[in-house]
């Protein structure tokens, strides 16, 4: 069942997502060689609780941490670790909270120190594919237009989009209908209406799209061991087009 949100509910979702955005910005600022992702997880949980929000991933179907930390060939749902990040790694961080009954969910990928041009290009294309998908989120467009726009940007850049995980509706639940694949034909699927709120989250691989799950039951890695990047925003469809709830206002505003 697809739940459209009222304007007041969208403001509540914006507040939850702004907590997520502040946490991810703070975590990104900490990332450098030598930093331990287990410490980023602790920082993220503390910051969320200070803001009166509850980290939503910890305990979700048994996931044991607040911040998903996925390094290099890890695609999503990696575990924070006590071994330090190394120069040239890329780190995807995915974070969610519940505040006043509504969910926020966003992810970002950042280079550790200086990274290879190949790694930077993958991150840039993944973020661009997310932006292209978001751009489609206008009344009258269809869900397939979002999916197709993401896929086109990623594949045109020479990468592949993961099939096994998808974006999702979001609201009082972390995962609501509809599912939002990052691939597929345009012009199909539900019509987008004001009040629809989606988490768009392309996972883009530098090699093939196949992934496998490690023995921990959670960590998804690329089957071919190549790099993967992940960006995610929670976005509301409004009469005026997409509103990215998990985007921080530009400083100076
Ligand atoms: N952004 C991810 C999602 O929408 C993060 C969930 S991690 C989990 O599924 F641990 F909560 F599963
Ligand atoms: Co999500």
């Amino acid at each position: 069942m697809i739940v459209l949100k009222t304007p007041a509910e969208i403001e509540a979702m914006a507040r939850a997502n702004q907590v997520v955005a502040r946490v991810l910005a703070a975590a990104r600022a900490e990332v450098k060689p030598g930093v331990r992702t287990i410490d980023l997880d602790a920082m993220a949980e503390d910051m969320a609780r200070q803001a009166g929000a509850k980290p939503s991933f910890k305990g979700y179907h048994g996931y044991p941490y607040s911040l998903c930390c996925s390094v290099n060939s890890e695609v999503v749902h990696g575990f924070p670790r006590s071994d330090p990040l190394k120069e040239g790694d890329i780190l995807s961080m995915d974070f969610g909270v519940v505040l006043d009954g509504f969910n926020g969910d966003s992810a970002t990928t950042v280079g550790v120190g200086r990274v290879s041009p190949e790694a930077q290009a993958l991150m840039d294309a993944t973020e661009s594919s997310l932006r292209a998908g978001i751009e489609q989120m206008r009344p009258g467009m269809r869900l397939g237009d979002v999916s197709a726009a993401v896929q086109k940007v990623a594949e045109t850049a020479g990468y592949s989009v993961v099939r096994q995980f998808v974006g999702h509706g979001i609201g009082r639940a972390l995962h609501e209908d509809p599912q939002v694949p990052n691939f597929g034909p345009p012009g199909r699927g539900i019509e987008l209406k004001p009040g629809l709120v989606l988490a768009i989250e392309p996972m883009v691989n530098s090699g093939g799209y196949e992934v496998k799950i490690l023995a921990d039951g959670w960590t998804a890695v690329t089957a071919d061991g190549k790099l993967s990047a992940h960006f995610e925003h929670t976005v509301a469809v409004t009469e005026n087009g997409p509103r990215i709830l998990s985007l921080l206002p530009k400083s100076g505003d």
Side-chain angles (χ1 to χ4, degrees):
M1 190 190 51
I2 291 170
V3 187
L4 297 180
K5 277 74 185 179
T6 65
E9 288 172 334
I10 288 176
E11 294 313 318
M13 291 198 70
R15 289 191 288 276
N17 277 284
Q18 288 296 296
V19 172
V20 173
R22 287 200 300 273
V23 167
L24 285 177
R28 276 185 72 104
E30 289 298 312
V31 169
K32 58 176 192 282
V35 165
R36 309 181 322 160
T37 50
I38 194 83
D39 295 323
L40 298 176
D41 174 66
M43 188 191 83
E45 176 158 1
D46 281 355
M47 269 188 80
R49 292 195 190 280
Q50 285 295 327
K54 184 175 172 293
S56 55
F57 298 169
K58 199 178 210 170
Y60 184 87
H61 293 279
Y63 185 80
Y65 298 97
S66 295
L67 182 71
C68 297
C69 294
S70 307
V71 178
N72 295 335
S73 63
E74 295 173 351
V75 178
V76 285
H77 306 160
F79 287 178
R81 283 195 288 263
S82 54
D83 63 308
L85 293 167
K86 299 186 303 294
E87 180 101 28
D89 285 344
I90 64 171
L91 169 66
S92 301
M93 294 181 287
D94 191 345
F95 191 60
V97 302
V98 180
L99 179 66
D100 297 334
F102 284 97
N103 278 271
D105 187 9
S106 182
T108 186
T109 303
V110 57
V112 180
R114 287 178 61 93
V115 302
S116 70
E118 292 77 17
Q120 189 60 54
L122 173 67
M123 292 190 285
D124 292 347
T126 306
E127 190 165 19
S128 298
S129 75
L130 171 58
R131 290 291 178 152
I134 291 171
E135 195 50 43
Q136 300 298 309
M137 288 184 62
R138 303 170 177 283
M141 304 299 284
R142 288 178 179 273
L143 194 61
D145 297 324
V146 177
S147 303
V150 172
Q151 181 176 24
K152 185 173 179 199
V153 169
E155 291 185 352
T156 300
Y159 305 120
S160 57
V161 293
V162 170
R163 279 22 180 193
Q164 192 170 329
F165 300 99
V166 296
H168 49 96
I170 180 169
R172 291 193 177 273
L174 173 59
H175 295 138
E176 297 184 354
D177 288 338
Q179 293 196 354
V180 186
N182 296 299
F183 56 93
R188 310 255 189 97
I190 61 157
E191 190 180 314
L192 306 185
K193 295 196 166 71
L196 182 68
V197 183
L198 302 175
I200 312 293
E201 50 178 319
M203 291 140 271
V204 176
N205 296 351
S206 59
Y209 65 72
E210 297 86 355
V211 303
K212 60 183 186 185
I213 310 296
L214 296 186
D216 62 21
W218 278 101
T219 310
V221 298
T222 57
D224 57 16
K226 295 190 175 176
L227 294 179
S228 187
H230 180 211
F231 285 82
E232 176 178 23
H233 275 306
T234 295
V235 186
V237 177
T238 79
E239 302 283 1
N240 305 320
R243 176 175 170 197
I244 307 178
L245 303 180
S246 52
L247 192 66
L248 286 179
K250 287 197 196 76
S251 53
D253 283 5

